[in-house]
Amino acid sequence: MKHVKTSTLAAAVALTLAAPLATTASAAGFIEDTKATLQLRNFYFNRDFRSTPPGGRSKAEEWAQGFIFRGESGYSQGPVGLGLDVYAAAGLKLYSEDDTAGTGLLPNAFGDEGPDGYSHITGTAKAKVSNTVLKVGNLFPAIPIAQASDIRLLPQTYTGGALSMGEIENLDVQAGQLRQVNYRASTDREDIGSTVGGTSDRFNYLGGTYKFTQSNTTLGLWRGELDDVYEQNLLNLIQGFDLGAWKLGANLAYFDTSDNGNQPLNIDHKMKSVMLSAGTGAHMFRLGYQHSDGDTSFPYLAENNPYIANYIQILDFARADEKSWQARYDLDFARYGIPGLKGLVRYVSGDNIDMGAAGNGKEWERDIDFTYTVQSGPLKNVALQWRNAMVRSDVAGNLDENRLIVNYTIPLM
């Protein structure tokens, strides 16, 4: 793993910022449509384990500063438009100690606070014909069976190829292959892991969505294969409609996952996920249900954000045979004279967890999440977020957690 000191990190960021400015191309579209941003993310993480087992720790606590640069060129003119994207990220340790390390913000673990910083830089070549785009290189997959995570200091990224086709109105088709992953707190490219064990050097996917505009219905069909680990099919139905002043919605997802190749576990899993929503004015109410039906937990790519109703701040409620319910309420305070302030409170309860000889287990999590975005003045668009969670689990133990995050994105081009 490549670890760098503060001065090296600063140099890496500076070189990255200069790279798109040095790009030249004869086609005007390549330059004129280029855009670049620098995202600053300050992240404080504190997880209280409620008790200190022998040889264990009472809490995980770290504070870090992240720099995320994204440069996206336009496409050259002609039958085939060509372009290049540049991505660079750096993380600096502001506070960490051996006995509090291991929050996922930095490349370290409990007992070793690790280096002062870490960074990486990569690129993506792209080509466009009509409404079809091919990308090769660094990828941020955002499809239901592979959603790269961005819930710590730096985002998770992949290396591979992705094809997006939008030639037919209302039909979006996606296909690709992911070859390696750069996890959130790492600069190494490595084989792709899963939540049920096993690693592979390729994840193949194919699928898409079709929107029936008259009924406001979206149907999604997806298939993914983590070679020699698991294969997964997803059927997804999204429905929305208006009822007077209310906007109602439903999101139903059904995953069918089985073995692929030499996975030592016997994977035979069915995941049912339902999220219902009802919103009016400043208020949004949601109810979720999830059944993780199988002898293993729900298989998905390691550190991904799974496309299921009850994946929340700490838990995913996707253990073997687990059934869980969610109640959530969102409020937009702009309607009450505080524009920029939004908040939510959420509670999820799960039971029927297969714990083997220990019998059945249960768990619950309560979340409070507030975000305020400054609306004017010199700090305009600075976003401050507080995320608080409480977990009581027969499997994960008892946890109390606070995350304080400050985000600010600067447009550079």
Side-chain angles (χ1 to χ4, degrees), residues 38-55:
L38 177 63
Q39 181 182 359
L40 309 179
R41 176 179 294 167
N42 190 277
F43 205 127
Y44 170 77
F45 186 108
N46 180 291
R47 178 176 290 178
D48 185 347
F49 293 99
R50 304 291 298 173
S51 62
T52 306

Side-chain angles (χ1 to χ4, degrees), residues 206-241:
L206 173 65
T209 61
Y210 183 80
K211 185 172 183 178
F212 301 87
T213 54
Q214 290 185 340
S215 61
N216 197 22
T217 302
T218 301
L219 178 66
L221 295 172
W222 298 90
R223 178 173 176 83
E225 295 181 359
L226 186 59
D227 193 40
D228 281 337
V229 182
Y230 71 77
E231 55 189 52
Q232 186 172 80
N233 298 303
L234 165 63
L235 173 62
N236 182 215
L237 178 65
I238 302 174
Q239 179 67 58
F241 56 93

Side-chain angles (χ1 to χ4, degrees), residues 92-383:
L92 301 180
K93 176 174 64 182
L94 301 179
Y95 169 79
S96 181
E97 296 181 350
D98 289 348
D99 58 356
T100 64
T103 65
L105 295 184
L106 299 163
N108 59 23
F110 173 55
D112 179 10
E113 67 178 77
D116 292 335
Y118 63 116
S119 67
H120 60 280
I121 178 172
T122 186
T124 308
K126 56 187 182 181
K128 183 177 183 180
V129 178
S130 184
N131 291 319
T132 295
V133 176
L134 173 66
K135 294 185 177 182
V136 178
N138 190 62
L139 302 174
F140 302 87
I143 58 176
I145 53 174
Q147 295 192 97
S149 174
D150 189 14
I151 62 171
R152 288 296 196 274
L153 188 68
L154 303 181
Q156 179 188 37
T157 68
Y158 288 84
T159 299
L163 182 67
S164 173
M165 295 169 281
E167 302 300 329
I168 300 174
E169 186 177 6
N170 298 322
L171 178 64
D172 177 34
V173 178
Q174 306 278 340
Q177 183 179 88
L178 308 179
R179 297 302 304 267
Q180 289 185 308
V181 62
N182 185 170
Y183 288 116
R184 297 180 304 236
S186 171
T187 56
D188 287 344
R189 295 286 177 178
E190 53 191 284
D191 285 348
I192 302 167
S194 83
T195 56
V196 292
T199 61
S200 176
D201 65 355
R202 64 196 64 202
F203 176 78
N204 302 310
Y205 66 86
L206 173 65
T209 61
Y210 183 80
K211 185 172 183 178
F212 301 87
T213 54
Q214 290 185 340
S215 61
N216 197 22
T217 302
T218 301
L219 178 66
L221 295 172
W222 298 90
R223 178 173 176 83
E225 295 181 359
L226 186 59
D227 193 40
D228 281 337
V229 182
Y230 71 77
E231 55 189 52
Q232 186 172 80
N233 298 303
L234 165 63
L235 173 62
N236 182 215
L237 178 65
I238 302 174
Q239 179 67 58
F241 56 93
D242 296 336
L243 184 63
W246 290 83
K247 292 187 178 295
L248 308 180
N251 189 332
L252 292 76
Y254 176 76
F255 292 83
D256 186 350
T257 313
S258 57
D259 283 321
N260 182 281
N262 299 317
Q263 169 58 239
L265 293 175
N266 180 24
I267 302 174
D268 183 10
H269 193 283
K270 310 290 189 297
M271 169 62 82
K272 300 101 173 176
S273 169
V274 179
M275 179 65 81
L276 306 177
S277 63
T280 181
H283 311 278
M284 176 67 76
F285 303 89
R286 291 183 173 91
L287 290 175
Y289 172 74
Q290 196 173 285
H291 182 196
S292 177
D293 184 7
D295 293 333
T296 67
S297 62
F298 172 54
Y300 57 92
L301 301 184
E303 289 192 7
N304 261 216
N305 297 336
Y307 191 75
I308 53 179
N310 293 339
Y311 171 75
I312 55 175
Q313 182 167 327
I314 298 177
L315 301 179
D316 61 10
F317 294 90
R319 306 183 198 280
D321 282 340
E322 185 169 11
K323 300 177 180 179
S324 56
W325 292 88
Q326 176 181 164
R328 170 173 165 171
Y329 171 65
D330 292 65
L331 178 62
D332 186 346
F333 287 84
R335 296 292 186 99
Y336 299 96
I338 313 177
L341 179 62
K342 297 181 180 181
L344 70 86
V345 60
R346 171 174 54 201
Y347 179 82
V348 183
S349 177
D351 59 18
N352 199 52
I353 302 170
D354 184 357
M355 299 179 63
N360 291 336
K362 58 184 180 180
E363 57 189 0
W364 59 263
E365 178 175 338
R366 187 272 300 144
D367 297 340
I368 298 173
D369 194 323
F370 282 92
T371 300
Y372 176 69
T373 303
V374 179
Q375 301 294 293
S376 61
L379 297 179
K380 183 179 180 180
N381 296 327
V382 172

